[in-house]
Amino acid sequence: MDLGIAGRRALVCASSKGLGRGCAEALAAEGVDLILNARGAEALDETAEFIRANYNVSVTAVAADITSEEGRAHVLAAAGTLDIVVTNAGGPPPGNWRDWRRDDFIAAMDANALTPIALMTELLPGMTERGWGRVVNITSVAVKSPIAILGLSNTARTALTGYVAGVARDVAAQGVIVNNLLPGLHATDRTIALDGMEAKLTGEDIDTVRARRITTIPAKRYGSLEEFGKTCAFMCSEHAGFMVGQNVLLDGGAFVSTF
Ligand code: NAP
């Protein structure tokens, strides 16, 4: 299927690795020119070089912390006019609700709610004026099914979800489509780090922890970056014009419900 977005321009935040990189590669495969972003310049430049070498698109790499005001200003200045934005950033650390204080919530809200909201505040007016735009916010399965140790993530991402539910419906008539993409467990550095943390806590080896986590997924595997990226590319496509304010869950069936 031709997604109808060749020649469009996309910012993919937090995209040197993991899910963001999966989205960037899938958009590049559709002929979308990219602005990539991450804090670390080395991995970012490697990813940018890989995409330039393998896809026929232009790639601008901007090393900056997307969760800081200066970082965002730097990225947006380099990006210019954008048709597509994939918002993403590292997730909050795991922990115990007894230890979380106001500053922990403010940091999580800043990174995982107020950052995507700030990007939409900046970019939606231009998209609505031009009559076309796509925004995909990478959130988490934790929005539908809270994970106790990731309470900071549960809180911040649910706030973003509420914001998107309203805004998406306000801009849809002007050709701007905003949705959220909710990853369950995917084979990324973050998942490997969380496997490692649990192994440390329980004293098991990492393979045992991984095997146990995988038994909770009906598909009996972690999701791949490729399938995540292709779903994101579809949500950025010409064909997604009637998909408004949705929360698309990619979790191998782990969240059990009839609907
Ligand atoms: P990852 O493999 O750790 O990759 C994170 C990427 O984001 C890297 O490129 C990293 O590069 C960049 N990044 C992190 N913080 C950034 C910042 N402040 N500014 C700019 N770039 C930043 O993570 P992932 O697994 O792809 O996860 C992406 C998001 O999905 C996270 O919010 C995570 O909580 C959420 N999520 C993931 C899963 C999963 O199974 N993987 C499940 C549910 C939710 P630098 O470190 O160089 O900046």
Side-chain angles (χ1 to χ4, degrees):
M1 189 197 304
D2 177 1
L3 295 190
I5 48 177
R8 296 277 185 192
R9 229 173 127 70
L11 164 62
V12 186
C13 303
S15 52
S16 65
K17 298 179 190 167
L19 302 177
R21 177 173 176 158
C23 297
E25 282 201 50
L27 288 168
E30 295 300 322
V32 174
D33 293 327
L34 295 176
I35 291 84
L36 301 184
N37 152 257
R39 292 162 303 178
E42 200 179 323
L44 180 65
D45 289 341
E46 272 173 30
T47 299
E49 204 35 63
F50 177 88
I51 293 177
R52 276 186 209 107
N54 287 278
Y55 306 93
N56 192 21
V57 296
S58 92
V59 183
T60 304
V62 188
D65 183 343
I66 199 69
T67 68
S68 76
E69 225 172 296
E70 315 79 70
R72 271 193 305 280
H74 189 41
V75 170
L76 291 176
T81 302
L82 291 165
D83 306 300
I84 296 169
V85 181
V86 179
T87 76
N88 185 29
N96 185 301
W97 62 268
R98 292 167 188 81
D99 302 324
W100 295 325
R101 297 291 176 265
R102 179 179 164 78
D103 285 351
D104 302 306
F105 285 101
I106 289 174
M109 288 293 291
D110 252 341
N112 299 107
L114 297 176
T115 290
I117 289 171
L119 288 164
M120 284 183 268
T121 305
E122 279 292 323
L123 296 167
L124 290 177
M127 291 179 176
T128 54
E129 243 165 62
R130 293 186 295 277
W132 200 93
R134 298 287 184 264
V135 179
V136 174
N137 300 292
I138 299 180
T139 65
S140 172
V141 63
V143 168
K144 280 178 85 89
S145 179
I147 302 163
I149 59 164
L150 294 178
L152 295 171
S153 172
N154 301 338
T155 306
R157 297 187 197 277
T158 306
L160 172 63
T161 305
Y163 171 89
V164 167
V167 170
R169 289 168 172 85
D170 200 53
V171 296
Q174 287 117 293
V176 180
I177 298 300
V178 184
N179 291 292
N180 301 321
L181 185 49
L182 285 54
L185 287 171
H186 283 72
T188 67
D189 286 358
R190 177 169 165 90
T191 302
I192 292 161
L194 289 172
D195 286 348
M197 272 184 224
E198 189 170 327
K200 235 186 211 168
L201 281 175
T202 60
E204 295 163 300
D205 65 69
I206 195 162
D207 290 338
T208 308
V209 169
R210 184 166 307 141
R212 187 176 52 247
R213 297 223 294 167
I214 282 173
T215 59
T216 66
I217 306 172
K220 300 297 173 215
R221 64 179 176 85
Y222 287 157
S224 77
L225 307 189
E226 292 73 18
E227 55 202 356
F228 189 87
K230 284 183 194 299
T231 305
C232 175
F234 177 80
M235 291 167 73
C236 297
S237 78
E238 197 58 52
H239 313 304
F242 208 51
M243 180 192 269
V244 175
Q246 297 302 300
N247 290 284
V248 175
L249 181 61
L250 282 188
D251 72 342
F255 177 74
V256 179
S257 67
T258 304
F259 294 103

